[in-house]
Amino acid sequence: MIKKLFYLAIFALFIYSLVLLAAPYYHYYAFKSDLEELLKVSIADRPDEVMTKILDLAKQYKIPIEKNDINLNSAAKYTAKISWQETVVFFPAYQIYKKTVTFDIDTSEL
C-alpha cells in the first residue's frame, strides 16, 4: 500500500512539473501565432501603433517583455524580433529547483 502511494506521489510530482513547464511554452506559441497575424494585418498602421498592439498582446499572455526588447522593422511589411527569458520555479516555497527558458521570435524568417 505504501509503495503504491509512493508511486502515486512521484507520478503527481511529474505531472505538476509538466504543467509548470508547459505554461511558458503555451504562452510562447500562442503569442507567436497572434503576433504573426497582427503583423500581417497591420500593414497600414504606424510603427508606434503596432508597437502598442504588440505590448498589449504580450501583456495578455503574461510575457515579460518591454518596449526595448522588441526590434520592429517596417520595410515592405512589418517584421519583429523579440527575445525574453522566463524562470520556472518547481517548488516556490523552498526555491529548490529553477529552470530558465529562453524564447526567441523572428518573424522575418517566416
Side-chain angles (χ1 to χ4, degrees):
M1 179 68 170
I2 292 182
K3 192 174 184 181
K4 289 181 183 179
L5 289 175
F6 176 73
Y7 287 132
L8 185 62
I10 295 295
F11 182 71
L13 283 174
F14 177 72
I15 296 298
Y16 173 73
S17 300
L18 284 179
V19 168
L20 283 179
L21 199 57
Y25 284 100
Y26 167 75
H27 292 153
Y28 164 74
Y29 286 113
F31 176 70
K32 183 177 179 182
S33 174
D34 288 350
L35 177 66
E36 290 169 2
E37 291 299 318
L38 173 73
L39 293 177
K40 285 179 185 176
V41 299
S42 296
I43 295 171
D45 293 343
R46 294 191 322 243
D48 56 336
E49 293 174 358
V50 175
M51 183 69 75
T52 303
K53 290 178 183 178
I54 292 172
L55 290 172
D56 290 342
L57 191 61
K59 187 184 295 182
Q60 176 185 346
Y61 288 110
K62 300 176 185 165
I63 294 178
I65 60 173
E66 296 178 7
K67 192 173 186 174
N68 57 358
D69 296 329
I70 302 170
N71 183 3
L72 184 66
N73 298 322
S74 60
K77 63 178 185 172
Y78 282 108
T79 59
K81 290 183 182 179
I82 304 171
S83 179
W84 73 93
Q85 291 183 342
E86 288 190 45
T87 302
V88 178
V89 181
F90 288 98
F91 300 103
Y94 303 107
Q95 300 287 320
I96 292 176
Y97 183 72
K98 297 180 186 179
K99 172 134 177 92
T100 302
V101 184
T102 303
F103 296 103
D104 295 310
I105 296 176
D106 186 1
T107 61
S108 65
E109 297 174 351
L110 303 174

